[in-house]
Amino acid sequence: MSSVYIKPIYSGVFLKLDDGERQSLLSRFGRLHPTAHLHHLTIKFRPQWDEVRALPLGQEVKLKVIGQLDTDEVQVFVIDPDSLPCECANEVPHITVTTASGVPPLYSNDALKNNGWCAVDEFFVTGHVGASLSDGSILRDKEWMVEG
């Protein structure tokens, strides 16, 4: 008998965008690269379960977009850290919007570090606090968590 251990891959704020809202944002700023993400803001990569339990899972959050970075590899929205429900492990809180073919969204961290970013007219995107799990699901509520 084998046991399955599900672990958190990353915690984040998962955007609450329908297809129309997503396309509107991509059109507003221009879709620079073929791979669209515009899915979440990472709070922490590979958190421990106790760190996930400490999050306000399910809480709705209005993320304040204050900047943008466009490079040959990535397109990124920069988020005001004061609009986050908790501390972000990334030096610059952000949402990866698009990436060039073969470029992982993780590259956004290096691009921001190496290039900086430009301010934009502020706007908000809404999401919910959760955690992406190793089984492919997203944990959005503490009621589903098992102590242990």
Side-chain angles (χ1 to χ4, degrees), residues 1 5 20-21 25-26 29 36 47 49 52 66 82 98 105 121 131-132:
M1 172 187 254
Y5 178 70
E21 292 167 322
L25 275 176
L26 289 169
F29 291 91
W49 274 115
V52 173
I66 59 170
D82 292 335
T98 65
D121 290 336
S132 179

Side-chain angles (χ1 to χ4, degrees), residues 57 139-147:
L57 293 173
L139 180 64
R140 301 174 195 270
D141 190 333
K142 286 186 182 183
E143 290 182 23
W144 293 98
M145 295 188 72
V146 176
E147 294 296 324

Side-chain angles (χ1 to χ4, degrees), residues 6-79:
I6 297 172
K7 57 187 173 191
I9 303 300
Y10 61 88
S11 58
V13 177
F14 295 84
L15 302 184
K16 188 175 155 185
L17 298 171
D18 63 29
D19 288 339
E21 292 167 322
R22 185 176 311 280
Q23 290 309 314
S24 176
L25 275 176
L26 289 169
S27 295
R28 177 178 172 188
F29 291 91
R31 182 177 177 159
L32 297 184
H33 306 292
T35 307
H37 298 281
L38 203 55
H39 178 258
H40 70 277
L41 172 141
T42 299
I43 294 171
K44 184 168 184 185
F45 185 65
R46 293 188 179 155
Q48 299 299 310
W49 274 115
D50 59 333
E51 294 172 303
V52 173
R53 285 185 191 94
L55 292 171
L57 293 173
Q59 177 181 327
E60 185 172 286
V61 179
K62 287 181 77 172
L63 299 173
K64 185 178 186 180
V65 179
I66 59 170
Q68 183 174 3
L69 170 65
D70 297 335
T71 72
D72 291 340
E73 295 87 14
V74 296
Q75 179 179 19
V76 179
F77 288 156
V78 177
I79 305 301

Side-chain angles (χ1 to χ4, degrees), residues 65-110:
V65 179
I66 59 170
Q68 183 174 3
L69 170 65
D70 297 335
T71 72
D72 291 340
E73 295 87 14
V74 296
Q75 179 179 19
V76 179
F77 288 156
V78 177
I79 305 301
D80 181 348
D82 292 335
S83 69
L84 298 175
C86 57
E87 188 175 339
C88 180
N90 288 329
E91 188 175 323
V92 179
H94 65 277
I95 298 166
T96 301
V97 180
T98 65
T99 58
S101 295
V103 176
L106 177 63
Y107 181 73
S108 295
N109 291 304
D110 290 336

